[in-house]
Amino acid sequence: MIYTKQEFEKIRKASLFSNLPNIITEQKPLSELKNQEIPDHDKSFVGLKSLSHREFNSTEFWRDIPAFKNVTKDEFLDVKFQNKNTVRNLAKLEEFTKGIVDKSFIEDVRQGIKHAPMNLSISPYLLSLIDWANPYEDPLRIQFIPVQSITKENHPKLMLDSLGEQGDSPVDGLVHRYADKVLFLALDVCPVYCRFCTRSYAVGGDTELVNKMKFNNAPEKWKKAFAYIASRPEIEDVVVSGGDAYMLAPNRLKLIGETLLSIPHIRRIRIATKGPAVMPMKILSDANWSNALIDIVKLGREKGKEVALHTHFNSANEITEITRQAMLHLFKNGVIVRNQSVLIKGVNNTLESMVHLIKKLSYMNVQPYYVYQHDMVEGTEDMRTSVKQTIELEKNVRGITAGFNTPLFVMDAPGGGGKRDVHSCEYYDEVTGISIYRSPSVNEQNIYLYFDPIESLPTLGQKLWEDKTIHDELIKNAIKNSGLSSYTPVLS
Ligand code: SF4
């Protein structure tokens, strides 16, 4: 909604901005502005709804949940409480949701777990933010709790290691795809488990669907990866991930940071964690961990190198006043925080939800860096969107705020092509949902194919995929029509 200046004045005086006149009259240097004539401008004032990203829930919201009604603020804000009460199995979820959800929902989860690539693990913080009156449509439930009733059949081209990371791994727990960058997979556990995890082939414990490969979780085993990085002078950039760096003991986090920073050719380190989105109080209540992070950021600065935290908010519903305080603590201590979201149906695939998320992140000095097209991971078909929708969303998002706070919408090209601008596809057939990307910096000869979820296709496209005998032909035709037949398709 857009207001005239007069209407806006009325609202301003009566609401959120009621303290503005005081600020102007009492505080220098703003008091100098008091008698300025403010010229009229054609640009209308935006509605207050457009400014709602500045509001942060500072209530004791967890007390609305019967299981936490007696939990004090001090307890809830303690990371030990969060870890101890993280729900890791169905029985615990049932106990926690007693009286607030229907039994049929729990039964739905029981069946959903059977076909999920990730185990159940969800923090009290997230549990308290889910709308239990409508869990099916809640963006946090969608990300962390599988239900059978909305499961969609996998697209025939979905796979577990859709990015082909294992094929680019010279040493266990290290992915070297781009010449100057490596991904160091330091551990295989996380504070919560996301249903859509790209690394579901390795992260978390085994499920009924997947027997996972294991990463190197111990410093002794990391030595090989460190030695490889030190032996390759072209590497300047290391992403420390897993799993999730939130789960690294402070001394191990420091050991990784100090070792990598001591390698002369390493210029940039990114510590990857979803932690701030799912358990922000750790930053405020686990001083050993936060200080370890801040120390390596400082050490990096002393050496003229950048150490940044890369986090993973997908929904503004993950953000409260606790988050804001946590991000403020990092900001005041010089930690750069960037965000990488995954585009997920029902979570952030509308313009309103994406803009709200971007603005809220920017307001907390968290830079919205990437929005990823959902990877083609088995068991997540209900969460994917089409390339068409992502391109449309990107068009509408660009221009809503400053460019450096506008995320790049990217496709992590399936089979190991790395990140591509989502709209940079060489070819896209909206009927079959096949898009084709090139990634010359990774491999000049390869082409990489992405497949939209079948449900998002027009009726003709859906019918075509019904016939298994023509799947290869659909792909061959797409390649032929793209004019890229002389390239090698990567279909892992
Ligand atoms: S926190 Fe990251 S690594 Fe862990 S399950 Fe979620 S997406 Fe996967």
Side-chain angles (χ1 to χ4, degrees):
M1 185 179 287
I2 290 182
Y3 295 97
T4 63
K5 188 174 177 181
Q6 289 73 17
E7 284 167 335
F8 189 81
E9 267 303 295
K10 254 196 224 162
I11 296 166
R12 182 168 69 90
K13 283 191 177 135
S15 63
L16 209 63
F17 303 98
S18 54
N19 61 342
L20 195 58
N22 290 338
I23 291 172
I24 288 184
T25 53
E26 287 164 18
Q27 290 183 12
K28 269 197 168 177
L30 292 181
S31 58
E32 313 280 322
L33 307 178
K34 201 173 147 195
N35 299 320
Q36 289 293 315
E37 273 287 309
I38 301 174
D40 275 331
H41 183 15
D42 283 350
K43 198 144 190 74
S44 304
F45 288 92
V46 298
L48 288 181
K49 193 157 178 265
S50 305
L51 303 178
S52 61
H53 62 275
R54 299 178 187 175
E55 291 163 20
F56 293 84
N57 186 352
S58 56
T59 65
E60 296 188 357
F61 55 88
W62 59 91
R63 288 185 186 256
D64 293 343
I65 308 290
F68 295 148
K69 90 171 178 300
N70 296 322
V71 175
T72 65
K73 190 171 178 178
D74 285 349
E75 278 176 292
F76 195 76
L77 294 189
D78 189 339
V79 70
K80 290 193 217 89
F81 174 87
Q82 295 292 322
N83 284 328
K84 192 170 162 212
N85 290 283
T86 288
V87 164
R88 293 193 173 87
N89 56 50
L90 187 71
K92 275 270 173 226
L93 183 69
E94 193 167 7
E95 194 184 313
F96 171 83
T97 53
K98 211 171 190 170
I100 52 174
V101 282
D102 210 83
K103 278 206 163 135
S104 61
F105 175 79
I106 294 295
E107 194 44 43
D108 208 355
V109 178
R110 187 190 311 283
Q111 298 308 322
I113 286 172
K114 288 184 184 163
H115 306 105
M118 299 301 289
N119 279 312
L120 197 64
S121 181
I122 179 162
S123 62
Y125 176 76
L126 289 178
L127 285 165
S128 306
L129 290 170
I130 289 176
D131 176 9
W132 291 104
N134 188 10
Y136 283 97
E137 287 177 20
D138 186 274
L140 306 189
R141 194 293 298 160
I142 292 172
Q143 293 182 69
F144 303 103
I145 304 177
V147 287
Q148 177 63 23
S149 59
I150 54 155
T151 301
K152 306 273 181 247
E153 199 181 324
N154 285 325
H155 191 291
K157 294 296 166 194
L158 293 201
M159 59 211 89
L160 277 175
D161 178 14
S162 74
L163 303 184
E165 290 185 334
Q166 291 167 76
D168 269 329
S169 180
V171 173
D172 268 359
L174 197 74
V175 178
H176 190 187
R177 175 166 298 151
Y178 304 97
D180 73 341
K181 178 187 134 182
V182 287
L183 174 62
F184 175 44
L185 301 168
L187 71 174
D188 52 22
V189 288
C190 305
V192 298
Y193 290 124
C194 315
R195 288 180 52 216
F196 51 89
C197 183
T198 278
R199 232 157 268 137
S200 56
Y201 67 90
V203 167
D206 294 343
T207 66
E208 288 189 36
L209 191 72
V210 195
N211 276 328
K212 315 231 168 177
M213 65 168 281
K214 303 281 173 237
F215 293 152
N216 293 326
N217 282 346
E220 200 46 45
K221 295 191 170 173
W222 295 339
K223 284 184 179 164
K224 245 197 172 92
F226 292 147
Y228 177 88
I229 296 169
S231 76
R232 300 294 295 249
E234 72 269 40
I235 300 171
E236 295 185 355
D237 208 314
V238 184
V239 178
V240 179
S241 185
D244 194 302
Y246 237 40
M247 303 300 276
L248 285 167
N251 60 344
R252 293 188 174 194
L253 179 60
K254 258 188 133 164
L255 171 81
I256 293 172
E258 287 169 358
T259 308
L260 293 174
L261 286 171
S262 70
I263 299 173
H265 51 264
I266 297 304
R267 306 293 305 160
R268 298 168 294 277
I269 300 174
R270 291 176 264 168
I271 311 288
T273 171
K274 192 168 170 64
V278 299
M279 211 183 271
M281 53 284 283
K282 180 178 170 85
I283 288 168
L284 301 166
S285 65
D286 185 350
N288 289 339
W289 192 89
S290 304
N291 289 339
L293 173 69
I294 291 165
D295 285 350
I296 54 175
V297 169
K298 281 187 182 149
L299 180 65
R301 244 165 240 255
E302 279 163 23
K303 289 174 178 272
K305 302 181 178 194
E306 184 194 89
V307 179
L309 190 79
H310 276 213
T311 190
H312 179 181
F313 290 94
N314 286 330
S315 164
N317 290 19
E318 293 156 356
I319 300 170
T320 64
E321 179 61 20
I322 306 167
T323 329
R324 195 174 77 88
Q325 292 300 334
M327 295 301 95
L328 191 59
H329 179 64
L330 295 182
F331 185 72
K332 284 183 174 174
N333 283 283
V335 183
I336 295 166
V337 186
R338 301 192 189 98
N339 187 66
Q340 307 190 172
S341 297
V342 176
L343 190 61
I344 302 175
K345 191 172 159 193
V347 174
N348 54 19
N349 65 324
T350 63
L351 181 62
E352 191 188 6
S353 57
M354 183 55 76
V355 168
H356 190 54
L357 173 63
I358 290 169
K359 291 210 159 193
K360 221 171 177 78
L361 291 170
S362 307
Y363 200 74
M364 298 190 298
N365 300 307
V366 174
Q367 188 185 348
Y369 169 44
Y370 276 144
V371 173
Y372 285 86
Q373 178 75 10
H374 200 298
D375 290 327
M376 298 199 305
V377 181
E378 278 177 40
T380 62
E381 197 63 347
D382 59 293
M383 308 173 86
R384 293 202 301 134
T385 58
S386 66
V387 165
K388 184 182 174 185
Q389 191 184 12
T390 310
I391 291 175
E392 189 57 26
L393 194 57
E394 195 273 346
K395 268 186 207 158
N396 283 284
V397 162
R398 192 153 295 280
I400 55 115
T401 190
F404 71 92
N405 273 333
T406 304
L408 202 61
F409 286 67
V410 291
M411 160 79 67
D412 216 338
K419 286 174 242 351
R420 309 278 83 203
D421 266 13
V422 76
H423 50 69
S424 70
C425 43
E426 309 287 331
Y427 171 85
Y428 180 38
D429 181 342
E430 291 181 15
V431 176
T432 59
I434 300 175
S435 48
I436 303 182
Y437 290 82
R438 286 183 61 227
S439 191
S441 56
V442 173
N443 186 311
E444 284 196 9
Q445 193 46 41
N446 286 348
I447 49 175
Y448 304 88
L449 281 73
Y450 184 85
F451 300 88
D452 286 349
I454 291 174
E455 194 196 42
S456 72
L457 303 178
T459 315
L460 174 60
Q462 296 193 16
K463 282 226 162 330
L464 288 170
W465 283 105
E466 264 172 29
D467 184 354
K468 287 192 172 72
T469 63
I470 63 163
H471 287 180
D472 287 348
E473 204 181 319
L474 292 178
I475 294 169
K476 269 189 203 149
N477 282 342
I479 295 172
K480 191 170 152 220
N481 294 338
S482 71
L484 299 169
S485 300
S486 60
Y487 289 79
T488 311
V490 179
L491 291 163
S492 49

